[in-house]
Amino acid sequence: DAMVIQNPRYQVTQFGKPVTLSCSQTLNHNVMYWYQQKSSQAPKLLFHYYDKDFNNEADTPDNFQSRRPNTSFCFLDIRSPGLGDAAMYLCATSGTRQLANEKLFFGSGTQLSVL
Amino acid sequence: RKEVEQDPGPFNVPEGATVAFNCTYSNSASQSFFWYRQDCRKEPKLLMSVYSSGNEDGRFTAQLNRASQYISLLIRDSKLSDSATYLCVVTLNTGGFKTIFGAGTRLFVKA
């Protein structure tokens, strides 16, 4: 059974049209992450929530926002998608960020295309 | 310099071959080390953790050299199903642990 669920699997949006990607988890994990992965590149951390505490990476553009209304759900909002934002967006969870060997649990990702 | 660097490959090997990947990391304060496997257009999945003493899981052996700041993965008796991208991953303590991914090494195993 999927423990981290991302919807939709594929998303097509238009240049400049706001889009929201969703992630839910049944693990009751404290930490939820959003990664952006472009072809042949490393997953790049955009931000994460530790409970309700939002932690933005310094180089994440303002165009990317996130919401976590409760423990189970987390959303990635792209306010004005550009062609360069086409990528796989991966949601992940972990029980805590206080352990060095903490395992990440990934969702299956949302592949975003921008036309 | 990237925090985690890997040879992108691709490595093209025949079934049954032994293949090794290396990875270097730049931050000596890196705490934990992992190899993840990622299939095309799928999410990364944990393959194995890497310990200083070296560890083995079936056909896979991982090694860590802290002095030289590199990690290796050895795959013996390669199978077609081993074809994937292998991501080297480290964690850093930044007031809460942060996970840093390498860009991955692509492996193609041919019949």
Side-chain angles (χ1 to χ4, degrees):
Chain A
D1 291 336
M3 296 178 286
V4 182
I5 302 163
Q6 290 187 244
N7 285 304
R9 182 71 180 86
Y10 299 94
Q11 175 74 56
V12 180
T13 191
Q14 292 179 335
F15 183 93
K17 183 175 181 181
V19 65
T20 295
L21 310 182
S22 71
C23 177
S24 63
Q25 54 128 341
T26 59
L27 299 164
N28 203 35
H29 278 171
N30 289 326
V31 194
M32 295 188 77
Y33 308 81
W34 280 104
Y35 285 85
Q36 178 195 62
Q37 187 178 26
K38 297 184 177 180
S39 181
S40 301
Q41 295 185 21
K44 177 181 179 297
L45 182 63
L46 296 174
F47 26 59
H48 74 277
Y49 274 94
Y50 186 72
D51 289 332
K52 296 180 180 180
D53 182 28
F54 178 69
N55 298 268
N56 199 29
E57 293 299 302
D59 57 354
T60 298
D62 292 340
N63 197 26
F64 292 87
Q65 303 286 322
S66 186
R67 295 170 284 136
R68 189 179 187 186
N70 53 54
T71 300
S72 300
F73 287 87
C74 195
F75 300 98
L76 170 62
D77 300 308
I78 308 176
R79 293 192 296 189
S80 181
L83 298 179
D85 296 328
M88 171 80 87
Y89 289 87
L90 294 160
C91 174
T93 72
S94 67
T96 174
R97 61 181 187 184
Q98 302 306 319
L99 297 175
N101 59 350
E102 189 78 26
K103 177 183 174 181
L104 293 181
F105 293 77
F106 281 92
S108 56
T110 294
Q111 183 69 48
L112 177 68
S113 299
V114 181
L115 304 179
Chain B
R1 183 183 173 189
K2 293 180 182 177
E3 291 177 289
V4 180
E5 295 207 60
Q6 298 181 246
D7 181 344
F11 285 64
N12 294 288
V13 303
E15 269 189 295
T18 296
V19 61
F21 308 136
N22 289 327
C23 164
T24 58
Y25 59 95
S26 60
N27 194 323
S28 60
S30 297
Q31 299 272 344
S32 294
F33 309 88
F34 309 89
W35 285 100
Y36 276 70
R37 171 194 169 126
Q38 187 173 25
D39 293 295
C40 188
R41 297 187 178 276
K42 297 286 183 66
E43 74 276 21
K45 294 184 178 178
L46 179 65
L47 179 65
M48 58 197 304
S49 301
V50 188
Y51 304 115
S52 296
S53 55
N55 49 299
E56 187 174 308
D57 183 2
R59 297 181 293 107
F60 298 84
T61 301
Q63 296 277 355
L64 166 63
N65 185 319
R66 282 190 181 270
S68 301
Q69 295 182 204
Y70 82 79
I71 307 150
S72 65
L73 177 68
L74 183 76
I75 305 175
R76 291 181 300 278
D77 188 23
S78 300
K79 311 293 184 190
L80 295 176
S81 57
D82 293 334
S83 297
T85 296
Y86 291 84
L87 302 169
C88 176
V89 180
V90 306
T91 60
L92 293 171
N93 190 348
T94 58
F97 286 96
K98 180 176 172 179
T99 301
I100 310 294
F101 286 82
T105 298
R106 296 190 72 185
L107 171 66
F108 294 103
V109 181
K110 306 168 295 182

